Short mmCIF file of all heavy atoms in Angstrom, two decimals:
data_model
loop_
_atom_site.label_atom_id
_atom_site.label_comp_id
_atom_site.label_asym_id
_atom_site.label_seq_id
_atom_site.Cartn_x
_atom_site.Cartn_y
_atom_site.Cartn_z
N ALA A 1 -15.39 -6.79 -0.93
CA ALA A 1 -16.05 -8.01 -0.40
C ALA A 1 -17.54 -8.09 -0.73
O ALA A 1 -18.08 -9.13 -0.98
CB ALA A 1 -15.91 -7.99 1.13
N ASP A 2 -18.18 -6.95 -0.90
CA ASP A 2 -19.59 -6.89 -1.24
C ASP A 2 -19.83 -7.05 -2.78
O ASP A 2 -20.93 -7.16 -3.22
CB ASP A 2 -20.34 -5.69 -0.71
CG ASP A 2 -19.76 -4.39 -1.33
OD1 ASP A 2 -18.87 -4.43 -2.21
OD2 ASP A 2 -20.27 -3.30 -0.94
N GLY A 3 -18.72 -7.06 -3.55
CA GLY A 3 -18.80 -7.24 -4.99
C GLY A 3 -19.36 -6.06 -5.76
O GLY A 3 -19.78 -6.17 -6.90
N MET A 4 -19.36 -4.87 -5.10
CA MET A 4 -20.03 -3.71 -5.73
C MET A 4 -19.03 -2.75 -6.36
O MET A 4 -19.41 -1.89 -7.17
CB MET A 4 -20.80 -2.94 -4.67
CG MET A 4 -21.99 -3.72 -4.10
SD MET A 4 -23.20 -4.18 -5.33
CE MET A 4 -24.38 -5.18 -4.36
N THR A 5 -17.74 -2.86 -6.05
CA THR A 5 -16.74 -1.96 -6.53
C THR A 5 -15.55 -2.72 -7.09
O THR A 5 -15.06 -3.74 -6.42
CB THR A 5 -16.28 -0.98 -5.49
OG1 THR A 5 -17.42 -0.24 -4.99
CG2 THR A 5 -15.20 0.04 -6.06
N LEU A 6 -15.07 -2.36 -8.26
CA LEU A 6 -13.85 -2.95 -8.84
C LEU A 6 -12.68 -2.01 -8.67
O LEU A 6 -12.95 -0.77 -8.77
CB LEU A 6 -14.05 -3.29 -10.31
CG LEU A 6 -15.17 -4.24 -10.67
CD1 LEU A 6 -15.32 -4.37 -12.16
CD2 LEU A 6 -14.97 -5.64 -10.02
N VAL A 7 -11.52 -2.56 -8.41
CA VAL A 7 -10.31 -1.75 -8.34
C VAL A 7 -9.29 -2.35 -9.30
O VAL A 7 -9.02 -3.56 -9.28
CB VAL A 7 -9.70 -1.77 -6.89
CG1 VAL A 7 -8.53 -0.89 -6.74
CG2 VAL A 7 -10.80 -1.48 -5.86
N TYR A 8 -8.69 -1.51 -10.15
CA TYR A 8 -7.74 -2.00 -11.07
C TYR A 8 -6.47 -1.15 -11.17
O TYR A 8 -6.51 -0.01 -10.82
CB TYR A 8 -8.38 -2.09 -12.52
CG TYR A 8 -8.79 -0.73 -13.04
CD1 TYR A 8 -7.94 0.07 -13.78
CD2 TYR A 8 -10.11 -0.23 -12.85
CE1 TYR A 8 -8.31 1.27 -14.35
CE2 TYR A 8 -10.49 0.94 -13.34
CZ TYR A 8 -9.60 1.73 -14.13
OH TYR A 8 -9.96 2.94 -14.60
N THR A 9 -5.40 -1.74 -11.63
CA THR A 9 -4.13 -1.03 -11.79
C THR A 9 -4.09 -0.40 -13.20
O THR A 9 -4.47 -1.01 -14.18
CB THR A 9 -2.97 -1.92 -11.60
OG1 THR A 9 -2.97 -2.95 -12.62
CG2 THR A 9 -2.95 -2.53 -10.21
N ASP A 10 -3.70 0.84 -13.22
CA ASP A 10 -3.58 1.60 -14.49
C ASP A 10 -2.13 2.08 -14.57
O ASP A 10 -1.79 3.11 -14.00
CB ASP A 10 -4.54 2.75 -14.57
CG ASP A 10 -4.57 3.41 -15.94
OD1 ASP A 10 -3.51 3.39 -16.58
OD2 ASP A 10 -5.65 3.89 -16.32
N SER A 11 -1.28 1.32 -15.25
CA SER A 11 0.18 1.60 -15.25
C SER A 11 0.46 2.86 -15.94
O SER A 11 1.29 3.71 -15.43
CB SER A 11 0.93 0.40 -15.93
OG SER A 11 2.26 0.71 -16.03
N PRO A 12 -0.10 3.19 -17.18
CA PRO A 12 0.28 4.47 -17.83
C PRO A 12 -0.06 5.70 -16.99
O PRO A 12 0.70 6.70 -17.04
CB PRO A 12 -0.56 4.43 -19.07
CG PRO A 12 -0.84 3.01 -19.35
CD PRO A 12 -0.99 2.38 -18.00
N LEU A 13 -1.12 5.63 -16.20
CA LEU A 13 -1.51 6.75 -15.38
C LEU A 13 -0.90 6.77 -13.99
O LEU A 13 -1.13 7.64 -13.19
CB LEU A 13 -3.03 6.87 -15.27
CG LEU A 13 -3.77 7.15 -16.57
CD1 LEU A 13 -5.31 7.29 -16.26
CD2 LEU A 13 -3.28 8.35 -17.24
N GLU A 14 -0.20 5.65 -13.68
CA GLU A 14 0.39 5.45 -12.34
C GLU A 14 -0.68 5.63 -11.30
O GLU A 14 -0.55 6.43 -10.31
CB GLU A 14 1.60 6.41 -12.13
CG GLU A 14 2.75 6.20 -13.05
CD GLU A 14 3.99 6.92 -12.64
OE1 GLU A 14 3.88 7.92 -11.86
OE2 GLU A 14 5.08 6.59 -13.14
N ALA A 15 -1.75 4.89 -11.44
CA ALA A 15 -2.95 5.08 -10.64
C ALA A 15 -3.71 3.82 -10.38
O ALA A 15 -3.54 2.79 -11.07
CB ALA A 15 -3.81 6.16 -11.24
N LEU A 16 -4.55 3.79 -9.38
CA LEU A 16 -5.64 2.86 -9.24
C LEU A 16 -6.90 3.44 -9.75
O LEU A 16 -7.16 4.58 -9.54
CB LEU A 16 -5.80 2.41 -7.75
CG LEU A 16 -4.70 1.64 -7.02
CD1 LEU A 16 -5.14 1.36 -5.60
CD2 LEU A 16 -4.41 0.35 -7.78
N GLY A 17 -7.60 2.58 -10.49
CA GLY A 17 -8.93 2.99 -10.99
C GLY A 17 -10.02 2.28 -10.29
O GLY A 17 -9.86 1.15 -9.74
N PHE A 18 -11.20 2.91 -10.23
CA PHE A 18 -12.31 2.31 -9.49
C PHE A 18 -13.61 2.29 -10.41
O PHE A 18 -13.81 3.27 -11.16
CB PHE A 18 -12.60 3.14 -8.26
CG PHE A 18 -11.43 3.29 -7.32
CD1 PHE A 18 -10.51 4.29 -7.49
CD2 PHE A 18 -11.22 2.33 -6.28
CE1 PHE A 18 -9.40 4.42 -6.66
CE2 PHE A 18 -10.15 2.50 -5.44
CZ PHE A 18 -9.21 3.46 -5.65
N ILE A 19 -14.39 1.22 -10.35
CA ILE A 19 -15.59 1.11 -11.11
C ILE A 19 -16.72 0.68 -10.20
O ILE A 19 -16.60 -0.24 -9.46
CB ILE A 19 -15.39 0.06 -12.27
CG1 ILE A 19 -14.21 0.38 -13.12
CG2 ILE A 19 -16.63 0.02 -13.13
CD1 ILE A 19 -13.83 -0.75 -14.10
N ASP A 20 -17.83 1.38 -10.32
CA ASP A 20 -19.03 1.05 -9.56
C ASP A 20 -19.86 0.04 -10.36
O ASP A 20 -20.29 0.35 -11.44
CB ASP A 20 -19.84 2.30 -9.28
CG ASP A 20 -21.11 2.08 -8.50
OD1 ASP A 20 -21.48 0.92 -8.28
OD2 ASP A 20 -21.81 3.10 -8.13
N ILE A 21 -19.96 -1.16 -9.81
CA ILE A 21 -20.76 -2.20 -10.52
C ILE A 21 -21.97 -2.56 -9.67
O ILE A 21 -22.44 -3.76 -9.67
CB ILE A 21 -19.92 -3.45 -10.90
CG1 ILE A 21 -19.25 -4.02 -9.61
CG2 ILE A 21 -18.90 -3.10 -11.97
CD1 ILE A 21 -18.74 -5.47 -9.93
N THR A 22 -22.52 -1.59 -8.98
CA THR A 22 -23.78 -1.85 -8.21
C THR A 22 -24.79 -2.47 -9.20
O THR A 22 -25.53 -3.44 -8.89
CB THR A 22 -24.34 -0.52 -7.67
OG1 THR A 22 -23.36 -0.02 -6.82
CG2 THR A 22 -25.63 -0.78 -6.88
N ASP A 23 -24.95 -1.91 -10.42
CA ASP A 23 -25.66 -2.52 -11.50
C ASP A 23 -24.58 -3.04 -12.49
O ASP A 23 -24.01 -2.26 -13.25
CB ASP A 23 -26.57 -1.54 -12.17
CG ASP A 23 -27.31 -2.11 -13.37
OD1 ASP A 23 -27.11 -3.29 -13.69
OD2 ASP A 23 -28.06 -1.33 -14.03
N PRO A 24 -24.27 -4.37 -12.47
CA PRO A 24 -23.17 -4.85 -13.30
C PRO A 24 -23.38 -4.68 -14.77
O PRO A 24 -22.40 -4.71 -15.51
CB PRO A 24 -23.10 -6.30 -12.86
CG PRO A 24 -24.44 -6.64 -12.35
CD PRO A 24 -24.94 -5.43 -11.69
N ALA A 25 -24.64 -4.60 -15.19
CA ALA A 25 -24.93 -4.40 -16.61
C ALA A 25 -24.66 -2.98 -17.04
O ALA A 25 -24.64 -2.70 -18.25
CB ALA A 25 -26.34 -4.83 -16.92
N ASN A 26 -24.52 -2.10 -16.12
CA ASN A 26 -24.30 -0.66 -16.40
C ASN A 26 -23.17 -0.09 -15.46
O ASN A 26 -23.46 0.66 -14.58
CB ASN A 26 -25.55 0.15 -16.22
CG ASN A 26 -26.65 -0.23 -17.21
OD1 ASN A 26 -26.58 0.14 -18.42
ND2 ASN A 26 -27.62 -1.02 -16.77
N PRO A 27 -21.94 -0.57 -15.68
CA PRO A 27 -20.87 -0.02 -14.81
C PRO A 27 -20.64 1.40 -14.92
O PRO A 27 -20.75 2.00 -16.03
CB PRO A 27 -19.64 -0.91 -15.29
CG PRO A 27 -20.01 -1.28 -16.70
CD PRO A 27 -21.45 -1.44 -16.72
N GLU A 28 -20.24 2.09 -13.84
CA GLU A 28 -20.12 3.47 -13.83
C GLU A 28 -18.68 3.85 -13.37
O GLU A 28 -18.11 3.22 -12.48
CB GLU A 28 -21.10 4.17 -12.87
CG GLU A 28 -22.54 4.01 -13.30
CD GLU A 28 -22.88 4.83 -14.48
OE1 GLU A 28 -22.16 5.83 -14.80
OE2 GLU A 28 -23.90 4.55 -15.11
N PRO A 29 -18.04 4.88 -13.95
CA PRO A 29 -16.76 5.33 -13.49
C PRO A 29 -16.83 5.82 -12.09
O PRO A 29 -17.74 6.55 -11.72
CB PRO A 29 -16.41 6.48 -14.49
CG PRO A 29 -17.71 6.94 -15.03
CD PRO A 29 -18.62 5.71 -15.03
N ALA A 30 -15.81 5.45 -11.29
CA ALA A 30 -15.76 5.82 -9.89
C ALA A 30 -14.45 6.56 -9.56
O ALA A 30 -14.15 6.76 -8.38
CB ALA A 30 -16.01 4.64 -8.95
N GLY A 31 -13.70 6.96 -10.54
CA GLY A 31 -12.58 7.78 -10.31
C GLY A 31 -11.24 7.02 -10.30
O GLY A 31 -11.20 5.78 -10.42
N ILE A 32 -10.14 7.79 -10.26
CA ILE A 32 -8.81 7.20 -10.15
C ILE A 32 -8.06 7.89 -9.01
O ILE A 32 -8.35 8.99 -8.60
CB ILE A 32 -8.00 7.37 -11.42
CG1 ILE A 32 -7.83 8.86 -11.80
CG2 ILE A 32 -8.67 6.63 -12.56
CD1 ILE A 32 -6.88 9.07 -12.97
N MET A 33 -7.06 7.20 -8.52
CA MET A 33 -6.20 7.73 -7.47
C MET A 33 -4.68 7.54 -7.84
O MET A 33 -4.26 6.44 -8.02
CB MET A 33 -6.48 6.98 -6.13
CG MET A 33 -5.56 7.39 -4.98
SD MET A 33 -5.90 6.45 -3.47
CE MET A 33 -4.48 6.90 -2.46
N GLY A 34 -4.01 8.63 -7.96
CA GLY A 34 -2.62 8.61 -8.33
C GLY A 34 -1.78 8.00 -7.22
O GLY A 34 -2.05 8.18 -6.01
N LEU A 35 -0.65 7.32 -7.61
CA LEU A 35 0.14 6.60 -6.66
C LEU A 35 1.60 7.03 -6.67
O LEU A 35 2.37 6.65 -5.81
CB LEU A 35 0.10 5.09 -6.94
CG LEU A 35 -1.27 4.37 -6.81
CD1 LEU A 35 -1.14 2.94 -7.26
CD2 LEU A 35 -1.76 4.49 -5.42
N GLY A 36 2.00 7.86 -7.62
CA GLY A 36 3.38 8.31 -7.63
C GLY A 36 4.32 7.27 -8.06
O GLY A 36 5.55 7.32 -7.85
N GLY A 37 3.84 6.24 -8.76
CA GLY A 37 4.68 5.16 -9.26
C GLY A 37 3.78 4.19 -10.03
O GLY A 37 2.56 4.32 -10.07
N GLU A 38 4.39 3.23 -10.66
CA GLU A 38 3.65 2.30 -11.50
C GLU A 38 3.09 1.13 -10.68
O GLU A 38 3.79 0.33 -10.10
CB GLU A 38 4.58 1.69 -12.56
CG GLU A 38 3.91 0.56 -13.37
CD GLU A 38 4.91 -0.28 -14.12
OE1 GLU A 38 6.15 -0.09 -13.90
OE2 GLU A 38 4.49 -1.12 -14.93
N PRO A 39 1.73 1.00 -10.64
CA PRO A 39 1.14 -0.05 -9.86
C PRO A 39 1.30 -1.40 -10.63
O PRO A 39 1.08 -1.42 -11.86
CB PRO A 39 -0.34 0.31 -9.73
CG PRO A 39 -0.57 1.14 -10.97
CD PRO A 39 0.69 1.92 -11.21
N THR A 40 1.76 -2.42 -9.95
CA THR A 40 2.00 -3.67 -10.64
C THR A 40 0.93 -4.71 -10.33
O THR A 40 0.74 -5.70 -11.09
CB THR A 40 3.38 -4.29 -10.21
OG1 THR A 40 3.41 -4.46 -8.85
CG2 THR A 40 4.46 -3.32 -10.70
N SER A 41 0.24 -4.55 -9.21
CA SER A 41 -0.75 -5.50 -8.79
C SER A 41 -1.59 -4.91 -7.68
O SER A 41 -1.18 -3.97 -7.04
CB SER A 41 -0.12 -6.84 -8.33
OG SER A 41 -1.08 -7.79 -8.00
N VAL A 42 -2.82 -5.48 -7.50
CA VAL A 42 -3.68 -4.95 -6.47
C VAL A 42 -4.47 -6.12 -5.88
O VAL A 42 -4.87 -7.05 -6.66
CB VAL A 42 -4.61 -3.85 -6.90
CG1 VAL A 42 -5.62 -4.35 -7.99
CG2 VAL A 42 -5.36 -3.22 -5.75
N ALA A 43 -4.72 -6.12 -4.61
CA ALA A 43 -5.58 -7.07 -3.93
C ALA A 43 -6.47 -6.37 -2.93
O ALA A 43 -6.06 -5.23 -2.52
CB ALA A 43 -4.79 -8.20 -3.31
N VAL A 44 -7.59 -6.90 -2.54
CA VAL A 44 -8.52 -6.22 -1.70
C VAL A 44 -8.82 -7.12 -0.47
O VAL A 44 -9.06 -8.33 -0.62
CB VAL A 44 -9.82 -5.91 -2.47
CG1 VAL A 44 -10.90 -5.40 -1.50
CG2 VAL A 44 -9.53 -4.80 -3.49
#
């Protein structure tokens, strides 16, 4: 909601990925979280 973090689905890794866009011109990796299956969609 604050627009500072992106969450995306990563099908090959069966995970959600996170990106820190506090500075949107310099996005930073914020890690991944395994899900035990293929994520098809995500909403926040």
Side-chain angles (χ1 to χ4, degrees):
D2 62 4
M4 297 297 178
T5 303
L6 301 176
V7 186
Y8 63 88
T9 61
D10 190 327
S11 177
L13 295 184
E14 297 190 343
L16 290 181
F18 304 87
I19 307 171
D20 180 352
I21 57 167
T22 302
D23 178 359
N26 294 284
E28 295 289 341
I32 61 171
M33 176 182 169
L35 298 175
E38 175 197 6
T40 60
S41 184
V42 65
V44 170

